[in-house]
Structures are given as structure tokens and as C-alpha cells.
Amino acid sequence: MIDDDLVVVKEADRFLRDVRLAQGRAESTTKAYAEGVSLFLRWSFRTERDWRTAARDMGLFMVWLRWTPGNGGRRRTVIPGPGARPVRGDTRINKVLTAVRMFLSHATVNGTVPGWVLEQVYELGDVRDLPAEARGEDGGMRVRLRARHRLQEPETDIDRASDEELVAMFLACQSARDRLTVLLISRVGLRPGQAAGLHRTDPHLMMDSRPLGCDAGGAHLHVIRRQNENNAWSKSKKSWVMPVDFLVVQGFDQYALERHERLGPGGSDFLLVNLFRPPFGAPITPAAIGELFEALSRRAGLDRLITPRMGRHAMASNVADAGGRLDEVQALLGQKHAGSARPYLHPKESRLRDAVDRVPSPRAIEREIGR
């Protein structure tokens, strides 16, 4: 990270190296932290504050974040008030504040920032205000640091893509590669970074993979966290096996033929690669998958934009609608905690109606008692 004079900000640069190399965070995560720290340093410089002690005015920084545009904005002044449109929402501001707290904590440990700064960004809390499942099994009270500055984010539901929408997008695909990409997101439940990060050795599509040295039964994928050249990154730290059905296997077969016709045996070791524009054989990016879903939504004539995340939610909901339990959905999504899978479940209206109809009526209960 450099300042306006193109001089490296040493403490910020040291923090980002620690995030990326020592903590093993994704490059996209490191980039997000860098943007947040950059905003904090820019505010400190423009308001003539020393960033080492500017945390005492964190509330003013939050106002600045909400109303001041970035370098690409036309306005350079803070214009709050009725009728003015905020530049950054609550969710974005909270993410910036998280990066700033981590940065200041790191600088405090290294002796660059005085220790009292932590008291400006954190307050002491205990586990009593945590959900029951997060308190631990020992029942004892533990002290923890709680962020002082955090906006109340509005709760937004991520809707699932309907089966009809996904089928329309599938039919709108113009290549076997695009059809396989839609299946990997909406039927396998991969994130864009996981799909773009697949290597050709990850799919095992035979009924018996023991000749390959794999004991997993049936057709499946190995989802592995790697550092990839296309910035594709699996959010889950663990590797897991993802079963696939015959539709996905057929998608793989058709794509293998298409890829061989275009590239022959060449191309990179990545599974999903550029076939129709240069650089041919180079891996696609997670952003390209998002652009594909946007283009397919328009091409299919849908009334709304379907995102890869909505396709992943559709996969989880379809498993639940078919009778899958929460622990099964959790394992298929590659999530660590069972509660993490709950936001992905969107029951069909027919399943909710069946649940209500299964409740016996008072008259039936009365007749049963009368017997």
C-alpha cells in the first residue's frame, strides 16, 4: 500500500502481508482489507489526523464513509441531510470498520500504535450476550472484546432461483462449457470460486475410483482449497467430496468433447477454460461465472437477474424439499457448522402447505377423544 506520494505505508503493508501470508487469507479478502485500511488512512490525512490516534473520532469516520465518495466520485465534500443519497450502505461501512479494527490491533501488537487505542475500538463484553450454541459447554463466563462501532445492518433474504428459471438458463446456454458451469453452481452447489478453481484431476466420474487411489464411491468431485492463478479460491478451509448425479456426469462428457475439439490435448490443468476467445485454454475467473449468469438471465428472458448465489441456494433448497436433513445440506455445501446451512433453505410453498395440512383439526381430535 502506498500513499499519495507513492511512498509505501510500512505498517499497512506489514498488516496486509500478515493477513495474506501468515493467516493464509484469500487474495480477495486481503484486497478487501486493503481497501478498508486505505479509506481510513485517506480520511486521517484529509482531516489532518494522525492515523495512530484517530480512532477516538471513529464516529466521524463513519459519517465520512457514508457521505464522501471515493476517488472516482465527482463530489469531494460531505453532503449529508434530507434527500441526499448515502455513498456507502451499512453493510459496506461495517466491513470497512472490521478491516480498520484488525489493522489497529495489529499495529498495537507491533508497538506502532499506543495501547489505549484498542479501548477506543473495542469494549469488554462476555459470553452472556452470545447465542446459546456459541457459549461453549463448560457454562463458565468468559470475557471477550466486542466492537464499539457497528451499524445495524438490514436483514436481507437471498432468494433461491426457481427450477423453471434454472432450466430456462440451461436451455439458453450456447456451449457445453456454459451448461456444465450452470450445473456445477445450481445442481452441485459450488461457489463461483470453487467452480473456477476445479482442476481436471478433481472430477472422478466412474462408479469405482479405487484405481485412481480414491476410496469415495460413485461419481463425485473433490473440492480443494488452492492458490490459483485465476484468483479462484474455495471459501471452505477443508477439502471434501461432493457427489454428483448423472446429469452432471453427462455435462462433463459433453464438455470434454467440446474442449478436445477446440484445444486438443492442450490447455491448462484447470477444468473450465476459455474456448471461444483468447487467451485460449486459460482458466476462467469467478467474475466470469457471475457475468455468465447475468447474460443467461437476459438471454432466457427472465424477469429478474439470477446470480450464482441464488443457484447455490436453489441446490440446498431442492435437497431439503426432497427430504434431505440439515446435516446433509451442511455437508453438501461444505460448511463447518450446521447452522450455516439454514439461510440457504427456502422451502417450496407446496411443502409448507403440506406441513400445515398435517396438523390435525380440533374436530378430529374431539372425535378421537369421544371414542
Side-chain angles (χ1 to χ4, degrees):
M1 181 179 292
I2 57 177
D3 59 18
D4 293 340
D5 297 325
L6 303 183
V7 177
V8 174
V9 183
K10 294 183 179 180
E11 189 57 41
D13 195 57
R14 182 189 302 174
F15 164 68
L16 295 174
R17 287 201 308 268
D18 184 74
V19 170
R20 183 69 183 90
L21 303 177
Q23 299 181 28
R25 299 294 185 94
E27 185 173 340
S28 58
T29 302
T30 308
K31 179 176 180 293
Y33 285 167
E35 293 172 350
V37 174
S38 174
L39 287 170
F40 177 70
L41 295 177
R42 188 182 308 159
W43 167 74
S44 300
F45 174 76
R46 291 183 179 178
T47 58
E48 298 182 352
R49 288 179 170 86
D50 185 346
W51 67 266
R52 299 169 183 82
T53 58
R56 67 181 68 185
D57 296 323
M58 193 64 74
L60 296 178
F61 175 55
M62 295 169 67
V63 174
W64 185 88
L65 281 176
R66 184 176 293 278
W67 300 106
T68 303
N71 285 336
R74 295 181 180 180
R75 291 189 286 109
R76 296 293 182 181
T77 57
V78 177
I79 310 179
R85 183 177 180 180
V87 177
R88 300 174 184 86
D90 295 342
T91 301
R92 172 60 177 152
I93 293 176
N94 281 338
K95 290 180 179 179
V96 172
L97 294 175
T98 298
V100 172
R101 283 192 294 268
M102 293 183 62
F103 169 58
L104 294 177
S105 299
H106 181 272
T108 302
V109 171
N110 289 312
T112 308
V113 168
W116 60 262
V117 169
L118 287 184
E119 300 176 4
Q120 301 295 319
V121 295
Y122 289 108
E123 61 182 8
L124 287 179
D126 58 61
V127 296
R128 289 177 297 181
D129 60 349
L130 292 177
E133 57 270 17
R135 298 178 187 176
E137 299 179 356
D138 56 1
M141 189 183 74
R142 295 186 300 274
V143 177
R144 67 185 182 94
L145 292 178
R146 182 170 54 192
R148 283 186 178 274
H149 308 90
R150 183 181 298 277
L151 297 172
Q152 296 296 323
E153 301 179 23
E155 295 185 4
T156 56
D157 292 331
I158 301 298
D159 192 10
R160 59 164 289 178
S162 68
D163 294 340
E164 293 76 15
E165 290 169 330
L166 292 172
V167 169
M169 293 172 61
F170 183 84
L171 296 176
C173 292
Q174 298 177 343
S175 68
R177 182 202 62 186
D178 292 350
R179 287 192 291 270
L180 176 60
T181 303
V182 173
L183 290 174
L184 289 174
I185 299 295
S186 61
R187 196 160 184 90
V188 181
L190 298 183
R191 291 185 171 93
Q194 294 166 342
L198 287 174
H199 289 211
R200 286 194 281 183
T201 55
D202 294 337
H204 293 170
L205 305 179
M206 299 182 295
M207 294 304 297
D208 187 356
S209 299
R210 284 177 294 182
L212 302 176
C214 176
D215 294 330
H220 61 273
L221 298 175
H222 289 268
V223 183
I224 302 173
R225 194 183 201 191
R226 300 185 180 96
Q227 176 59 50
N228 295 307
E229 62 184 77
N230 60 345
N231 295 328
W233 184 269
S234 176
K235 187 177 180 179
S236 176
K237 295 181 180 180
K238 69 173 185 177
S239 300
W240 81 96
V241 173
M242 184 68 189
V244 298
D245 62 9
F246 73 98
L247 289 177
V248 179
V249 173
Q250 288 182 343
F252 271 104
D253 291 342
Q254 295 174 6
Y255 170 63
L257 293 174
E258 180 181 74
R259 173 171 174 153
H260 186 76
E261 290 175 356
R262 293 276 179 172
L263 302 177
S268 68
D269 186 50
F270 285 84
L271 177 66
L272 301 175
V273 296
N274 292 336
L275 298 180
F276 310 103
R277 61 184 180 183
F280 296 104
I284 67 171
T285 64
I289 295 179
E291 294 171 0
L292 171 64
F293 269 65
E294 181 178 351
L296 290 176
S297 299
R298 293 195 300 266
R299 196 180 303 159
L302 302 181
D303 296 332
R304 60 175 182 165
L305 175 65
I306 301 299
T307 65
R309 191 177 184 186
M310 294 166 66
R312 179 171 160 89
H313 280 239
M315 175 270 178
S317 298
N318 282 335
V319 171
D321 289 337
R325 297 190 297 269
L326 184 62
D327 60 335
E328 295 171 338
V329 177
Q330 170 202 346
L332 291 174
L333 294 177
Q335 295 176 327
K336 185 176 181 181
H337 302 289
S340 301
R342 293 186 184 275
Y344 287 83
L345 304 183
H346 307 267
K348 289 184 177 180
E349 292 184 5
S350 59
R351 185 152 67 95
L352 296 178
R353 171 57 59 186
D354 292 340
V356 172
D357 291 341
R358 288 195 298 269
V359 178
S361 68
R363 292 181 178 179
I365 298 175
E366 182 181 1
R367 287 195 297 266
E368 186 69 24
I369 294 177
R371 295 177 184 175

